[in-house]
Amino acid sequence: MSIRTIVENVRAGGHVTASEAAVLFHEAPLPVLGRLADEIRARKHPGDVVTYIIDRNVNYTNVCVARCNFCAFYRPVGSSEGYVLGFDEIFRKIDETIALGGGQLLLQGGHNPDLPIEWYEDLFRAVKQRYPEFRLHALSPPEVIHLTRMTKLPVAAVIDRLIAAGLDSIPGGGAEILVDRVRKILNCYGKATADEWLDVMRHAHAAGLRTTATMMYGHVETVEERIEHLTRLREVQDERGGFTAFIAWSYQPEHTQLGGYEATGAEYLRMLALARIVLDNFPSLQASWVTQGGKVGQLSLAYGANDMGSVMIEENVVRAAGAAYCMDEVEVVRNIENAGFTAKRRNMHYEILGDPYFRMREVPRMLELATARAEGDASRPEELNSYAARSAREKQLRSHPR
Ligand code: SF4
């Protein structure tokens, strides 16, 4: 099929097939893809509003048994660089987030065998008790699966327990590429197969939660496998419409076992535009300025994105792999407005909350990203001793405290 025929079909509201998407990706000039994606964006979001959210990306632990070979963030059990945040540290981060106009934590972390489901429940309950209006966008599908293995409970039961404790929505992390051939090479098949990842999202949507979906591309996958990832997401979205948004980011290779190169900005824009075309049942697409920088992030708004994602207060995972772009609310809004759009704050459900916060209240400028912990801080939260130790290292620590 020719590019022209596929473009006309998409303009008429048609679904692209996987083979048509491959033709577009391989053969269509970038401006053609961009124009088509921008038309779809304008159809779904008429007017000139581009949204963003003020939240904080908190990684509660970096200790992880999954050992994905693309990850520069995790530390093995027993590492002197491993950490678990204390509840008080997390409360402090929430206070800082609220002071900057934020109302949500994006809470994700490693698969730490010494944090049982009760630790999460106690944390969520404590957050909700102190901050009843504050939202918890927490635990990506592989973390939920990790908890099913720790508790020996089915996915639905784990999600129900987390909701009862205060979970509001689930972030779409850990998807990487939803094709098992790729997941085996990345050593992330064990943490969640493609089917398992999608199954958690199905259960979350059935339980009434909204979730996002992500893709990390540019490592060992083929273009056809990226398209399979997109079409599998589209199928799940057809069932209940529980995904609010899709976020694609390029693999960040520094300090990883896998190594390699980062995809270019042009490839990112091509991928984003293709995602906007294939995911015709997803309401929103975020620009990944965290991996691409503000300038490509700004261009994303002409390639299908209608949202600038989060004002980054803290970031640990992407930074560990070499990217450390920082934009506070003033910068995010400046980039949106300079691209010709009107900036509005939103919540996780993409409901508009209002105009930029910094124009209504005085807030400190944040010109550097916060980290999970100050370098060298090896403190161990007291409350960890209230939960049963599972790893040999933690048991040893408890019996012979340093
Ligand atoms: S990507 Fe997540 S699950 Fe994989 S090693 Fe890193 S922290 Fe662990």
Side-chain angles (χ1 to χ4, degrees), residues 61-74 109-111 142 176 187-188 191 317:
T61 181
N62 64 347
V63 175
C64 188
V65 291
R67 295 173 170 247
C68 308
N69 60 16
F70 58 83
C71 177
F73 166 71
Y74 84 89
H111 301 187
E176 330 312 354
N187 199 36
C188 65
K191 76 174 178 184
V317 176

Side-chain angles (χ1 to χ4, degrees), residues 139-252:
L139 307 192
S140 60
E143 291 164 272
V144 172
I145 289 167
H146 170 68
L147 290 179
T148 66
R149 292 174 184 157
M150 299 262 287
T151 55
K152 305 206 173 3
L153 289 170
V155 169
V158 166
I159 290 177
D160 284 348
R161 278 181 66 166
L162 294 172
I163 292 174
L167 177 70
D168 292 296
S169 54
I170 289 188
E176 330 312 354
I177 292 287
L178 292 168
V179 174
D180 287 340
R181 183 197 78 85
V182 176
R183 303 185 77 76
K184 285 178 185 163
I185 299 173
L186 297 180
N187 199 36
C188 65
Y189 177 77
K191 76 174 178 184
T193 65
D195 282 346
E196 284 172 334
W197 190 98
L198 291 163
D199 190 49
V200 170
M201 289 312 198
R202 282 195 177 91
H203 281 294
H205 298 165
L209 296 184
R210 304 301 300 278
T211 76
T212 53
T214 65
M215 174 169 81
M216 181 190 72
Y217 70 92
H219 34 81
V220 301
E221 84 290 357
T222 63
V223 166
E224 284 64 27
E225 286 166 333
R226 294 181 197 176
I227 293 169
E228 184 177 335
H229 177 105
L230 295 176
T231 53
R232 294 209 69 187
L233 290 176
R234 185 170 69 182
E235 280 163 25
V236 172
Q237 181 72 334
D238 273 339
E239 293 167 20
R240 287 181 198 267
F243 291 117
T244 53
F246 173 77
I247 312 118
W249 61 76
S250 55
Y251 160 59
Q252 305 293 309

Side-chain angles (χ1 to χ4, degrees), residues 224-358:
E224 284 64 27
E225 286 166 333
R226 294 181 197 176
I227 293 169
E228 184 177 335
H229 177 105
L230 295 176
T231 53
R232 294 209 69 187
L233 290 176
R234 185 170 69 182
E235 280 163 25
V236 172
Q237 181 72 334
D238 273 339
E239 293 167 20
R240 287 181 198 267
F243 291 117
T244 53
F246 173 77
I247 312 118
W249 61 76
S250 55
Y251 160 59
Q252 305 293 309
E254 259 188 60
H255 311 302
T256 66
Q257 189 191 335
L258 184 65
Y261 297 95
E262 186 187 348
T264 64
E267 180 157 17
Y268 171 72
L269 293 174
R270 181 171 285 276
M271 200 54 240
L272 178 70
L274 188 79
R276 184 60 289 176
I277 294 163
V278 175
L279 297 175
D280 52 7
N281 54 3
F282 271 61
S284 289
L285 253 71
Q286 284 186 23
S288 177
W289 65 261
V290 178
T291 58
Q292 306 301 315
K295 295 183 175 71
V296 175
Q298 196 178 29
L299 272 178
S300 305
L301 303 178
Y303 283 78
N306 60 289
D307 184 270
M308 274 295 241
S310 173
V311 164
M312 222 23 93
I313 298 170
E314 170 173 340
E315 210 293 316
N316 304 288
V317 176
V318 173
R319 184 208 321 242
Y325 293 110
C326 177
M327 291 209 288
D328 65 1
E329 191 192 19
V330 174
E331 264 310 286
V332 167
V333 169
R334 193 169 78 84
N335 275 276
I336 293 172
E337 292 179 344
N338 185 253
F341 294 93
T342 300
K344 296 278 183 190
R345 270 181 304 125
R346 64 159 173 89
N347 61 16
M348 190 273 161
H349 290 93
Y350 286 75
E351 293 155 349
I352 304 281
L353 298 178
D355 292 328
Y357 192 73
F358 72 89

Side-chain angles (χ1 to χ4, degrees), residues 15-26:
H15 236 30
V16 285
T17 63
S19 56
E20 289 167 350
V23 170
L24 285 180
F25 190 91
H26 289 298

